[in-house]
Amino acid sequence: MFALEKEISTEQLQEAKCPLCNTSSSRLIFSEGIFSVVQCDACDIQFEKRQLDKNGLQKIYNTHEYWSSSSPRSFGYASYLRESKNYLRTFALRIKGTPELTKKVGSVLDIGCGCGYFLEKMQERGWKCSGIDISKEASDEALKRANLHIQTGDESLLEGMESRFDIVSLWDVIEHLPEPVKSLKRIRNIIQPGGLLILETQNFQSFFARLLGKRWHHYKHLEHLWHFSPQSIEQILKQAGFRVVRSSARHGGKYVSLGFIAERAKRIHPWLGLMLEKCAYPVRHWSLYVNLFDEMIVIAEPA
């Protein structure tokens, strides 16, 4: 258990409903401490039954512990800045594998941009880049990188925004948003005619997720509020006014350090993680590309 979780009580958590049908009718998938993952009976969406409200979420994303977590398999990142080279390599590969990002240049808004790694690689290709992140620590760091236009805040900044973008991206973000349909509708309003939404999120129906069950590394209770399947992500996009063009796990992998792999293995079994950690320690900063095909990249257009 990480330090911040000890400060969370059931009184600070509110009961959540399915973001698609707004029903409370759901079946329990598993419980872990004060948290429970449930699945909507009708909409094929898994979600945290008890969630922090918007203010609570903003608080945790603005703690230093989120970006330098003592238990990143449960919360946040071990060292977001230390992994910068891996993020840059990851986004370079994803951009190369996405024709919509390589055949032309235009304007891009990255929501939940973190320290701006995706935007930095897009800027290298000549794109006009903007970003939004709820964390002041992350957005301040993004401002230091190249010539990026960055705002600190959440997706409510999109309300009344006059700018329109050729691409809006959400990399590992939609599962964090307390009101995903509302957020997606806001995004739709700022996409240029002919523009696209590109998002990545986890797939709880993937083989690896089903194999691990509750030990799946994407079950991070405080921050990952929703878990999608290919069918349910298409449904929620449709409800927000989008049509899915393409969905694939092919480029959903990441470059990660051997130390990262050892730490995440502790979620499967503590002894496995400790063994890998001991073996990998001399070369813990070495990296390799890993794709478990449990994350999907979705391209969608306004319907």
Side-chain angles (χ1 to χ4, degrees):
M1 179 181 290
F2 53 90
L4 187 60
E5 187 178 353
K6 296 177 183 178
E7 302 174 14
I8 303 296
S9 66
T10 53
E11 289 75 21
Q12 294 172 276
L13 302 172
Q14 57 188 8
E15 293 285 317
K17 297 181 179 181
C18 172
L20 262 173
C21 65
N22 201 37
T23 181
S24 299
S25 178
S26 57
R27 60 184 174 89
L28 177 68
I29 303 301
F30 70 91
S31 294
E32 197 169 31
I34 63 174
F35 299 100
S36 297
V37 174
V38 299
Q39 187 165 333
C40 177
D41 292 330
C43 298
D44 193 34
I45 291 180
Q46 288 186 0
F47 57 96
E48 293 292 333
K49 185 64 175 176
R50 299 181 183 90
Q51 303 178 2
L52 286 173
D53 63 17
K54 191 173 183 178
N55 290 333
L57 290 168
Q58 185 168 0
K59 180 180 177 181
I60 67 169
Y61 296 137
N62 275 286
T63 61
H64 180 69
E65 185 183 2
Y66 185 75
W67 303 100
S68 298
S69 173
S70 59
S71 183
R73 65 186 180 277
S74 302
F75 173 80
Y77 301 86
S79 179
Y80 195 72
L81 287 175
R82 193 174 62 207
E83 296 283 342
S84 60
K85 290 183 179 179
N86 288 328
Y87 287 115
L88 290 168
R89 292 177 71 192
T90 295
F91 283 122
L93 188 63
R94 289 178 179 176
I95 291 167
K96 185 177 179 181
T98 307
E100 292 84 356
L101 302 178
T102 58
K103 290 183 178 179
K104 62 176 184 178
V105 296
S107 58
V108 57
L109 173 66
D110 190 25
I111 298 174
C113 65
C115 294
Y117 302 130
F118 170 66
L119 293 175
E120 183 174 333
K121 301 310 293 185
M122 289 292 283
Q123 189 178 66
E124 289 176 3
R125 290 181 168 270
W127 285 71
K128 182 180 178 182
C129 297
S130 302
I132 294 173
D133 200 276
I134 196 170
S135 165
K136 189 175 188 306
E137 183 174 342
S139 56
D140 282 351
E141 180 63 29
L143 282 168
K144 301 175 186 177
R145 308 186 73 87
N147 184 27
L148 303 175
H149 176 65
I150 305 294
Q151 291 179 275
T152 303
D154 60 22
E155 71 284 356
S156 64
L157 291 172
L158 305 182
E159 286 287 349
M161 183 179 284
E162 295 182 1
S163 300
R164 295 291 183 270
F165 300 91
D166 298 295
I167 298 288
V168 176
S169 54
L170 295 167
W171 299 103
D172 295 307
V173 169
I174 192 170
E175 62 272 13
H176 295 259
L177 300 179
E179 298 178 287
V181 175
K182 185 176 181 179
S183 298
L184 288 169
K185 287 180 177 179
R186 285 171 170 165
I187 290 168
R188 187 185 184 282
N189 290 336
I190 61 165
I191 294 180
Q192 295 267 28
L196 294 171
L197 167 67
I198 299 179
L199 68 82
E200 180 194 19
T201 192
Q202 299 85 34
N203 176 9
F204 77 84
Q205 283 189 347
S206 64
F207 172 79
F208 197 72
R210 288 185 283 112
L211 177 67
L212 293 184
K214 70 177 184 179
R215 296 171 297 168
W216 188 39
H217 55 284
H218 289 304
Y219 285 130
K220 302 173 76 171
H221 302 300
L222 274 182
E223 56 187 292
H224 289 176
L225 309 179
W226 322 103
H227 301 283
F228 298 98
S229 64
Q231 295 77 24
S232 59
I233 195 67
E234 184 170 0
Q235 289 179 50
I236 205 165
L237 285 165
K238 182 178 180 181
Q239 187 164 319
F242 286 94
R243 183 184 71 84
V244 171
V245 176
R246 178 171 80 257
S247 177
S248 173
R250 182 180 177 187
H251 297 292
K254 294 180 173 74
Y255 282 97
V256 294
S257 66
L258 295 179
F260 174 94
I261 294 171
E263 198 280 334
R264 289 302 166 96
K266 292 177 183 177
R267 178 107 190 175
I268 300 174
H269 196 283
W271 286 107
L272 174 63
L274 288 171
M275 182 182 69
L276 291 175
E277 194 173 65
K278 186 175 182 179
C279 294
Y281 185 81
V283 291
R284 62 192 180 280
H285 297 309
W286 289 10
S287 300
L288 71 160
Y289 182 74
V290 176
N291 190 353
L292 301 175
F293 292 88
D294 61 347
E295 300 188 45
M296 48 189 171
I297 296 177
V298 183
I299 314 292
E301 62 183 7

